[in-house]
Amino acid sequence: MFYERRNLMSRRTVRCKKCENEVEVYQNPIPTVDIIIEVQGRGIVLIRRKNPPYGWAIPGGFVDYGESLEEAALREAREETQIEVTSLKQFHTYSDPGRDPRHHTISTVYIAEASGTPVAGDDALEIGIYDRTNLPPDIVFDHRSILEDYFNSKERVRVKVGKPVKT
């Protein structure tokens, strides 16, 4: 399966208009970041998207050329929520080719903390703070699955010094 998919997706040959040589053109996944922002004891921030696909999403976006993933996560958090975040930690990377209906993207998801009140900015039409029990029904991309992974990771019981502790 992997071999078949790889041969179908990644490259094609075009002829250069200036020199007439054949040139291989590669179509690669686009790197993105998403940032789960925990607002002190209130829940996590979601934005209602201003652009298609419409619905609620974890704040995030495309990584700019010359920008690290961490820089992109901090920038997207600032642009879409108008708050500064701290304690940025990488959570997981999601790469299903169908996760975004527009392109094949690979998203590295971060978790960060914030205080204050987020305000919708940039690509955000509206903003809200949610927990596992009150998530909006129209969550786009694969973000519902990402949030399930996040909430499940928060509920895991870890053994610390011989006794279970909720994390």
Side-chain angles (χ1 to χ4, degrees):
M1 173 82 162
F2 171 76
Y3 177 75
E4 291 171 20
R5 180 181 284 175
R6 182 177 165 88
N7 283 337
L8 290 175
M9 68 170 196
S10 64
R11 67 181 170 162
R12 61 189 170 91
T13 304
V14 297
R15 187 168 301 281
C16 176
K17 291 179 183 178
K18 287 187 177 184
C19 69
E20 297 293 320
N21 289 332
E22 287 189 355
V23 179
E24 286 184 343
V25 178
Y26 291 86
Q27 185 175 1
N28 296 313
I30 300 167
T32 64
V33 293
D34 292 303
I35 181 165
I36 298 170
I37 302 171
E38 300 171 335
V39 180
Q40 294 182 334
R42 294 171 48 204
I44 57 146
V45 175
L46 294 180
I47 62 159
R48 181 180 291 278
R49 291 177 49 81
K50 194 183 287 187
N51 301 307
Y54 300 110
W56 289 91
I58 300 166
F62 298 104
V63 178
D64 291 339
Y65 188 82
E67 184 176 51
S68 73
L69 295 172
E70 295 80 7
E71 290 167 335
L74 294 171
R75 175 182 52 77
E76 287 291 345
R78 210 171 27 255
E79 288 176 359
E80 294 186 354
T81 70
Q82 309 299 302
I83 54 177
E84 296 293 325
V85 298
T86 60
S87 304
L88 186 70
K89 294 181 183 85
Q90 189 175 30
F91 175 58
H92 191 73
T93 300
Y94 295 84
S95 62
D96 185 320
R99 66 176 302 277
D100 183 332
R102 303 166 302 170
H103 322 277
H104 177 184
T105 62
I106 297 174
S107 185
T108 300
V109 178
Y110 289 87
I111 299 171
E113 297 172 358
S115 57
T117 303
V119 176
D122 194 32
D123 296 331
L125 187 62
E126 187 179 345
I127 202 158
I129 298 175
Y130 297 90
D131 62 33
R132 185 177 217 159
T133 65
N134 69 346
L135 292 174
D138 55 336
I139 296 177
V140 296
F141 307 117
D142 59 348
H143 290 189
R144 184 171 298 280
S145 174
I146 292 170
L147 291 171
E148 278 301 311
D149 290 348
Y150 164 77
F151 288 123
N152 288 340
S153 76
K154 289 295 197 182
E155 291 178 0
R156 287 191 190 115
V157 175
R158 294 187 183 197
V159 176
K160 186 174 184 175
V161 191
K163 85 183 201 192
V165 178
K166 281 263 189 194
T167 58

